[in-house]
């Protein structure tokens, strides 16, 4: 019997899968979880860092985020961030690895860090408010990224 493309490489053992997916959650946060934590009462326990250029930041960014382009992290992170507070990095979106590079640079400096999956693209696509150089904006949620009329995706 022919093996289909999905099973051509056998799935990992349950123990290996648990270790992998557990580790993934230690390194990543999704847009909805970050938004929910920021919207809650009190300190969310982390800061959000936008690692994009000034032009990108001006087009739109997560409210309250710290702007620190990746190239400037080695020189400025110590002045802008507290090592005791975890950092959640983001860039444009899933097609960009800028948040990954920023997270690496911060980790190499001794910061606790996670990457926000989906970046600014999914922040805006899921209908969360963002800031631009002109003020605050919000777009309707894209039904391909967030269920219409629901509080959350139920994940």
């Amino acid at each position: 019997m022919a093996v289909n493309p999905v099973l051509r490489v056998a799935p990992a053992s349950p123990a290996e899968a648990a270790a992998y997916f557990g580790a993934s959650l230690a390194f990543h946060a999704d847009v909805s979880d970050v938004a929910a934590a920021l919207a809650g009462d009190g300190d969310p326990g982390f800061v959000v860092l936008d690692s994009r250029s000034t032009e990108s930041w001006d087009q739109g960014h997560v409210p309250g985020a710290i702007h620190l382009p990746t190239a400037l992290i080695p020189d400025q992170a110590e002045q802008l961030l507290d090592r005791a507070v975890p950092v959640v990095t983001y860039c444009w979106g899933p097609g960009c690895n800028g948040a990954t590079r920023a997270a690496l640079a911060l980790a190499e400096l001794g910061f606790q860090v996670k990457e926000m999956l989906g970046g600014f693209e999914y922040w805006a696509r899921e209908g969360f408010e963002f800031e631009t150089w002109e003020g605050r904006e919000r777009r309707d949620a894209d039904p391909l990224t967030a269920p219409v009329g629901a509080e959350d995706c139920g994940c």
Side-chain angles (χ1 to χ4, degrees):
M1 174 167 41
V3 176
N4 69 49
V6 172
L7 299 177
R8 189 173 295 137
V9 174
S13 72
E16 291 171 320
Y20 172 84
F21 292 117
S24 179
L25 292 171
F27 298 113
H28 302 109
D30 71 22
V31 167
S32 294
D33 289 344
V34 171
L38 293 175
D41 293 335
D43 181 359
F46 62 87
V47 296
V48 178
L49 185 140
D50 185 317
S51 64
R52 300 173 301 150
S53 67
T54 298
E55 295 80 12
S56 299
W57 167 267
D58 288 346
Q59 283 182 254
H61 56 271
V62 173
I66 294 169
H67 182 228
L68 182 57
T70 301
L72 301 178
I73 287 174
D75 295 329
Q76 296 182 12
E78 300 282 341
Q79 293 80 35
L80 296 173
L81 302 168
D82 180 346
R83 283 188 198 282
V85 179
V87 180
V88 176
T89 64
Y90 75 90
C91 61
W92 271 113
C96 175
N97 67 2
T100 305
R101 287 192 313 258
L104 174 60
L106 289 166
E108 288 173 340
L109 292 172
F111 290 91
Q112 296 176 57
V113 63
K114 287 190 173 199
E115 178 182 4
M116 184 173 80
L117 297 176
F120 181 73
E121 175 188 349
Y122 276 73
W123 184 272
R125 287 183 71 186
E126 290 190 23
F128 298 117
E129 185 176 68
F130 58 91
E131 294 177 327
T132 72
W133 66 275
E134 295 178 309
R136 290 195 175 223
E137 293 184 29
R138 180 185 301 260
R139 297 180 180 165
D140 290 338
D142 180 337
L144 296 176
T145 65
V148 176
E151 290 287 322
D152 61 44
C153 67
C155 298

